[in-house]
């Protein structure tokens, strides 16, 4: 039990700390690397919750795929001279902090949610997820929709990124 | 650990993402904030799945959230590249030709 609490505090500190660094750091590259810490922390939280397949997917897709995509995007677009706007940023932070207070108060008021003493032991989830994704009365249709969505996103991304290429490449 | 602890972590992640979107320093910062918001929602799905007992619907929903996040990242970065090549800037404040200038 104490090990679980220790792992939870470590991973949640990673996740929230990475998110905070990404929020407050000035350079976009450093924000992206702080985002890596945040993603890895969330993957650890998934492991803590007994979702092993999802944790590995998080590391592979987010830390391995999406983050590399962001780094490529950051290198293709030169860094701007970011004009600091302290007034607007402070306003945004205050506006964003108000929901936090509401959330925390609402959750702590009914903190009997999720009694940890009655939890079943976590078991492997790969078999269950694979069966659920490929049974017709399960999640087969959303699965196919997801593949169509990814295909459309791929074609759209290639089209959008390609339109701008000849202008830069022509001598 | 109780469910509330996970929900609080997810709420903090979501608020950090929302603040990144709202402070809009550059288009890439906005996209990174969106990733944080999606991550927080997926974490909520998994936490509720674990504490509601039985079934893996929450984990499957989180899996689909990850798929949507991948599509969003690819399309969003392509749009950012296109916007940069047409305007020469990625500051969101420079894209207001529909607003009153």
């Amino acid at each position: 039990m104490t090990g679980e609490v220790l792992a939870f505090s470590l991973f949640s500190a990673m996740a929230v700390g990475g998110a905070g660094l990404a929020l407050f750091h000035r350079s976009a590259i450093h924000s992206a690397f702080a985002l890596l810490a945040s993603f890895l922390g969330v993957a650890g939280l998934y492991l803590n919750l007994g979702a092993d397949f999802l944790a590995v997917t998080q590391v592979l897709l987010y830390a391995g795929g999406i983050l590399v995509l962001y780094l490529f995007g950051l290198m293709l677009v030169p860094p701007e001279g970011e004009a600091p706007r302290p007034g607007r940023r402070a306003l945004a932070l205050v506006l964003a902090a108000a929901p936090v207070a509401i959330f925390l108060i609402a959750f702590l008021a009914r903190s009997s949610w999720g009694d940890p003493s009655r939890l079943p032991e976590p078991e492997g989830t790969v078999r269950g997820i694979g069966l659920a994704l490929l049974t017709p009365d399960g999640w087969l249709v959303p699965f196919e929709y997801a593949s169509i969505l990814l295909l459309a996103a791929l074609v759209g991304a290639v089209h959008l990124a390609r339109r701008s290429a000849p202008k830069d490449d022509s001598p | 650990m109780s469910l509330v602890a996970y929900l609080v972590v997810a709420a903090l992640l979501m608020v950090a993402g929302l603040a990144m979107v709202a402070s809009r320093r550059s288009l890439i910062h906005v996209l990174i904030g969106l990733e944080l918001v999606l991550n927080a929602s997926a974490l909520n799905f998994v936490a509720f799945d674990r504490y509601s007992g039985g079934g893996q619907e929450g984990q499957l929903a989180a899996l689909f959230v990850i798929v949507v996040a991948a599509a969003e990242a690819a399309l969003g970065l392509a749009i950012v590249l296109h916007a940069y090549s047409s305007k020469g800037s990625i500051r969101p404040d420079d894209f207001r030709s529909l607003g009153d200038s």
Side-chain angles (χ1 to χ4, degrees), chain A residues 53 123-144, chain B residues 55-57 59-60 63-64:
Chain A
F53 177 70
E123 50 194 25
T125 59
V126 180
R127 177 182 165 82
I129 286 179
L131 283 177
L133 277 182
L134 291 179
T135 28
D137 50 353
W139 289 67
L140 181 60
V141 178
F143 183 66
E144 297 296 337
Chain B
Q56 287 159 343
E57 278 82 11
Q59 297 186 23
L60 285 161
L63 210 57
F64 283 102

Side-chain angles (χ1 to χ4, degrees), chain A residues 17-42:
Chain A
L21 262 185
L23 171 58
F24 287 114
H25 213 289
R26 191 177 293 165
S27 105
I29 294 270
H30 289 162
S31 282
F33 278 112
L35 200 66
L36 172 67
S38 182
F39 287 160
L40 291 182
V42 172

Side-chain angles (χ1 to χ4, degrees), chain A residues 23 25 39 49 100 120 164, chain B residues 15 25 35 39 50 69 85 93:
Chain A
L23 171 58
H25 213 289
F39 287 160
L49 284 165
V100 166
S164 59
Chain B
V15 164
R25 273 180 291 172
E35 294 295 332
N39 236 317
R50 172 86 171 120
S85 73
D93 292 346

Side-chain angles (χ1 to χ4, degrees), chain B residues 21-74:
Chain B
V21 174
S23 63
R24 45 178 207 184
R25 273 180 291 172
S26 73
L27 288 177
I28 292 191
H29 279 274
V30 171
L31 286 179
I32 288 178
L34 280 181
E35 294 295 332
L36 279 176
V37 172
L38 286 172
N39 236 317
S41 71
L43 182 59
N44 262 357
F45 269 120
V46 179
F48 273 110
D49 174 71
R50 172 86 171 120
Y51 284 90
S52 61
Q56 287 159 343
E57 278 82 11
Q59 297 186 23
L60 285 161
L63 210 57
F64 283 102
V65 170
I66 291 179
V67 169
V68 171
E72 175 256 326

Side-chain angles (χ1 to χ4, degrees), chain A residues 1-18 37-38 40-49, chain B residues 1-2 5-6 8-9 12-13 43 51:
Chain A
M1 192 57 202
T2 45
E4 192 194 346
V5 173
L6 193 67
F8 172 79
S9 25
L10 179 71
F11 288 134
S12 57
M14 255 176 89
V16 176
S38 182
L40 291 182
V42 172
L45 287 178
Y46 285 163
L47 268 189
N48 222 10
L49 284 165
Chain B
M1 292 316 301
S2 69
Y6 289 100
V8 168
V9 171
L12 288 176
L13 278 181
L43 182 59
Y51 284 90

Side-chain angles (χ1 to χ4, degrees), chain A residues 31-166:
Chain A
S31 282
F33 278 112
L35 200 66
L36 172 67
S38 182
F39 287 160
L40 291 182
V42 172
L45 287 178
Y46 285 163
L47 268 189
N48 222 10
L49 284 165
D52 49 355
F53 177 70
L54 211 54
V56 174
T57 310
Q58 168 94 4
V59 173
L60 271 180
L61 264 180
Y62 266 114
I66 294 181
L67 203 72
V68 172
L69 205 61
Y70 274 107
L71 287 179
F72 269 110
L74 281 172
M75 287 166 193
L76 286 175
V77 176
E80 295 280 309
E82 292 152 2
R85 295 170 181 268
R88 171 186 284 165
R89 291 196 57 204
L91 178 69
L93 291 184
V94 168
L95 280 184
V100 166
I102 296 169
F103 264 36
L104 292 183
I105 290 168
F107 284 151
L108 291 181
R110 41 166 60 200
S111 61
S112 62
W113 272 2
D115 184 10
S117 60
R118 285 184 299 135
L119 276 186
E121 280 295 306
E123 50 194 25
T125 59
V126 180
R127 177 182 165 82
I129 286 179
L131 283 177
L133 277 182
L134 291 179
T135 28
D137 50 353
W139 289 67
L140 181 60
V141 178
F143 183 66
E144 297 296 337
Y145 276 142
S147 59
I148 294 175
L149 170 74
L150 282 178
L151 177 67
L154 254 177
V155 174
V158 167
H159 177 68
L160 274 176
R162 206 173 145 247
R163 278 251 302 265
S164 59

